[in-house]
Amino acid sequence: MERTYVMVKPDGVQRNLVGEIISRLEKKGLKIVGLKMLQIPRELAELHYGEHKGKPFFEPLVEYITSSPVVAMALEGKDTVGTVREMMGTTDPLDAAQGTIRGDFGMDIGRNVVHSSDSLESAARELGLFFAPEEIIEYKKELDSWIYE
């Protein structure tokens, strides 16, 4: 099983989409192994978006992600990174397919409701930034036998 990081961004929290997003992820069969709401401090935002430092959109991105609380999730399942990325839709909501989270709820690339890790390496890094090891809970769900062969 893989783990990935998902964040409901400030616009998703402000628009009351947290429950809808979590519901979609759970209904797919993904298991939540970590969940919390937090106000991201600037230092953490700069670490999270570090690969964009020096680009013109870096500062507005940091300001946006620190502007309101976010909901951070650690999810587990088979091919979780790819599955979640497909469920999110393309980065630009106007290009995202209907039925995806961004396609259904987003209108602007700068307010696209959610973030998810794009690789196992990114997932490990982002999970390490947003969750202490003891905040990731290992547990068995009886339902898993009905989801996975």
Side-chain angles (χ1 to χ4, degrees):
M1 293 293 162
E2 291 181 2
R3 284 196 182 144
T4 195
Y5 175 71
V6 174
M7 175 178 19
V8 181
K9 294 179 177 181
D11 56 315
V13 172
Q14 290 292 329
R15 293 178 55 202
N16 299 315
L17 296 173
V18 174
E20 173 71 26
I21 292 165
I22 290 173
S23 177
R24 286 184 182 207
L25 295 166
E26 285 188 310
K27 286 176 183 174
K28 180 67 174 176
L30 299 168
K31 179 167 63 172
I32 297 172
V33 295
L35 177 69
K36 64 181 169 181
M37 178 179 258
L38 70 148
Q39 181 76 45
I40 299 179
R42 182 174 180 83
E43 301 77 33
L44 179 55
E46 289 179 356
L47 281 172
H48 179 64
Y49 291 119
E51 70 271 14
H52 301 303
K53 196 166 183 105
K55 295 178 183 171
F57 59 87
F58 177 75
E59 189 58 36
L61 187 57
V62 169
E63 287 178 20
Y64 159 66
I65 207 69
T66 59
S67 67
S68 180
V70 301
V71 172
M73 288 178 264
L75 299 176
E76 188 175 88
K78 186 176 180 182
D79 189 29
T80 301
V81 171
T83 299
V84 170
R85 296 289 290 182
E86 195 169 308
M87 291 178 70
M88 297 295 145
T90 60
T91 304
D92 187 341
L94 296 179
D95 295 331
Q98 288 301 120
T100 65
I101 291 169
R102 290 176 176 147
D104 289 351
F105 302 116
M107 287 296 294
D108 185 87
I109 195 165
R111 299 290 183 267
N112 64 6
V113 183
V114 288
H115 164 83
S116 67
S117 302
D118 62 3
S119 67
L120 287 173
E121 296 76 26
S122 292
R125 184 181 74 78
E126 292 173 335
L127 287 167
L129 287 173
F130 288 93
F131 290 93
E134 64 273 9
E135 293 178 310
I136 305 287
I137 310 299
E138 301 263 353
Y139 66 102
K140 180 173 174 30
K141 285 180 75 173
E142 297 304 319
L143 186 62
D144 286 348
S145 66
W146 297 101
I147 297 171
Y148 301 108
E149 198 172 2

